[in-house]
Amino acid sequence: MADTRRLFRTWWSTGAGVPQKTEMRMSEVLLKGVRPYGEGDGVDVLVADGVIAEIGAPGAVAAPGSAEVVEAEGQVLLPGLVDLHTHLREPGREDTETVESGSRAAALGGYTAVFAMANTDPVADNSLVTGHVWRLGQEVGLVDVYPVGAVTVGLKGERLAEMGTMATSEAGVRVFSDDGLCVADPLVMRRALEYSTALGVVVAQHAEEPRLTDGAQANEGERASRLGYVGWPSSAEESIVARDCILARHAGARLHICHVSTTGTVDVLTWAKELGIDVTAEVTPHHLLLTDERLETYDPVNKVNPPLRAERDVDRLRQALAEGVLDCVATDHAPHAEQDKCSEWSAARPGMLGLQTALSIVVETMVRPGLLDWRGVARVMSERPSEIARLPDQGRPLAEGEPANLVLVDPDAEWTVRGPELASIAHNTPFEGMRLPAVVTATLLRGRITAREGKID
Ligand code: DOR
Ligand code: ZN
């Protein structure tokens, strides 16, 4: 059990056991001239004791002399972003991402909370591992890292993991997923949904019927055939989403669908929501922007699961996000080492970085074309994810007395993506060299600045 030994070593070396919460500097911050939700004239916002203390006309808010002043005329103020779907790779693949490096990327990307997926090594299928990840996140202190618990032992899809123990443990696990793999056995999924209702948690399904994606490498269609790739059919996603909606309905459970990628899934979700089934769904920034045209490059940086789809899928996903059939954006931030990405297509691992580019991609694909305004961005990147995970202190209104989990965005600035300059240890971004709109200028976690002007504070 080398993995477990490594886990314990880290605990000793960090002095954990008793969580060492990072020192909370209770500072005051005055945000000057900001536009909450990008609406109206600029206001001054005083942040003190971890909450929004006062909002007033420019110059009308009295701040103590010790307050840090952020000149932010015309910048957009939003609730801190919340990512329901992040892969942080610790424990097990710290050569690609750690809780610390991922927290830096998250803070720089405007996030104040992220959910770290369970497909680590060892798998987060017990409260020892989930507690470890939780504590690491608290020690780093840049963003709240909520560990996702595995639904099944070892992600094998056979036996339920100790969901109850994880849910009631220190980490308070509230989202369960075998992401990376589908909980394919309908009986296992049914049981997981039944347990989830009693625990007040949500099961997040990676919808992929494995019998339909055996050997699949790319979106099924003319392009994959021409290039010689085994196709990943839309029906593999849609059939699981339909099945699980029905299972959730009978169990009276909440269900969340990870990284929706097809038009047909939007149809199924529309039907399920009309029936009153308690289902929510996320879409990734890369599925909102990129298509399978990228296959022509043969560059595995574009390999992801589910695969990049056709243009008509992208159009439909954007529309569904605007209309609320898709509830939120989640990054599926998936760092991979160079040797796992820079290989022939079929041998490369699926996944791409997302934390530092997500907001800009949403602005590019949703705000610029007029599909969402900034209030809509707050909804899909902060409020809805917080509601789905039932976080009490995130995605809150921008109002006096509310927790100061905030992000400040310069809507008029642009930047160029450079993989090696991102905070992640791995560099696998499909957006390399792209010029993107909107720059995160500051992120605040409980009133403390975590990132400022592209740097960790
Ligand atoms: O592209 C993906 N990468 N999709 C997943 O479901 C898993 C993820 C990973 O862990 O790399
Ligand atoms: Zn997945």
Side-chain angles (χ1 to χ4, degrees), residues 85 87 179-180 206 258-259 305-306 332:
H85 193 144
H87 296 272
D179 180 66
H206 167 119
C258 297
H259 42 52
N305 192 17
D332 198 2

Side-chain angles (χ1 to χ4, degrees), residues 192-206:
L193 289 167
E194 286 168 354
Y195 276 114
S196 73
T197 56
L199 297 171
V201 300
V202 65
V203 175
Q205 176 68 295
H206 167 119

Side-chain angles (χ1 to χ4, degrees), residues 290-310:
L290 307 176
T291 70
D292 65 353
E293 202 183 331
R294 284 283 186 111
L295 289 181
E296 307 284 347
T297 64
Y298 289 100
D299 184 346
V301 78
N302 299 304
K303 182 171 171 179
V304 66
N305 192 17
L308 300 178
R309 301 290 189 185

